[in-house]
Amino acid sequence: MKKILSLLLLVIVTSSSCEKDDICDANTPTTPRLVIEFYNITSPSTLKNVTNLEVIGDGKTEGIVFNSGSDDSKYLANGSTISIPLKIDANSTKYTFILNSGNTNPTLIDTDEVTFNYTRNNVFVSRACGFKTLFTFAATNPFSHAAVPATKGKWMQEISIQKSNIDNENETHVKVYF
């Protein structure tokens, strides 16, 4: 009888100390990236593929190269759409966009700097996943845009905010015409 009681007590103690595994499901929506689509300036409804577009975050020395003929970038949804992260600890994120990056002829390389301005809202997802940050573009000045150098002119001829709230990656937030 003592053996059965001991075994029963052991089973109760070990089963009561189990906890549910806290693993965030890969399908759980987390902090969304900014989705940018590129369009032909002469035909505004026509998507335009980006070729050798390098995007470098402020303060970084290396960036991500988006190539319309390559599948190796997790940020390139297709040849004309990219997704880039926004800072979750600041109300603005500055990127340098270099068109024709890596071209041996420096006159064919065009560089623009864009700073996206927004507010942040941290939302609790779950105990396993923690928080995600949602963004809303600033109402009065959602972005600033400059050519580098300023004398060369902007290759991004027009930037248009399509959706002010960045709460998922299933829709286009910004359209760029070039």
Side-chain angles (χ1 to χ4, degrees):
M1 182 69 161
K2 273 189 163 183
K3 287 184 180 181
I4 293 174
L5 189 57
S6 296
L7 183 61
L8 185 59
L9 186 61
L10 181 65
V11 168
I12 290 172
V13 168
T14 57
S15 66
S16 68
S17 66
C18 292
E19 291 184 23
K20 180 182 172 201
D21 285 339
D22 282 338
I23 299 173
C24 186
D25 183 9
N27 295 325
T28 302
T30 56
T31 299
R33 294 173 293 184
L34 177 66
V35 179
I36 302 172
E37 276 188 334
F38 293 88
Y39 285 84
N40 188 333
I41 190 71
T42 58
S43 178
S45 61
T46 305
L47 289 167
K48 187 171 182 180
N49 288 345
V50 291
T51 304
N52 295 327
L53 173 66
E54 184 174 9
V55 180
I56 304 172
D58 192 35
K60 305 291 182 188
T61 56
E62 293 184 21
I64 301 167
V65 177
F66 300 98
N67 216 342
S68 63
S70 172
D71 296 336
D72 58 0
S73 175
K74 68 179 181 177
Y75 300 104
L76 186 62
N78 60 46
S80 60
T81 304
I82 65 172
S83 298
I84 55 177
L86 296 174
K87 290 182 181 179
I88 61 171
D89 59 351
N91 286 333
S92 67
T93 303
K94 182 178 182 179
Y95 280 105
T96 301
F97 292 83
I98 305 170
L99 187 64
N100 297 322
S101 172
N103 195 311
T104 56
N105 184 350
T107 61
L108 298 178
I109 299 173
D110 293 310
T111 304
D112 282 9
E113 287 181 345
V114 180
T115 301
F116 297 101
N117 303 307
Y118 48 84
T119 58
R120 300 166 282 137
N121 182 25
N122 292 325
V123 177
F124 183 74
V125 176
S126 69
R127 192 170 113 185
C129 299
F131 287 85
K132 68 179 178 180
T133 303
L134 303 179
F135 307 95
T136 302
F137 279 117
T140 56
N141 188 24
F143 63 89
S144 61
H145 177 209
V148 178
T151 56
K152 189 165 184 179
K154 300 173 184 172
W155 70 267
M156 294 180 180
Q157 296 177 30
E158 184 180 334
I159 298 174
S160 171
I161 302 297
Q162 296 300 300
K163 185 156 183 347
S164 293
N165 295 325
I166 303 166
D167 50 16
N168 67 61
E169 296 179 7
N170 299 332
E171 53 203 1
T172 300
H173 306 115
V174 175
K175 288 184 179 180
V176 173
Y177 298 88
F178 73 105

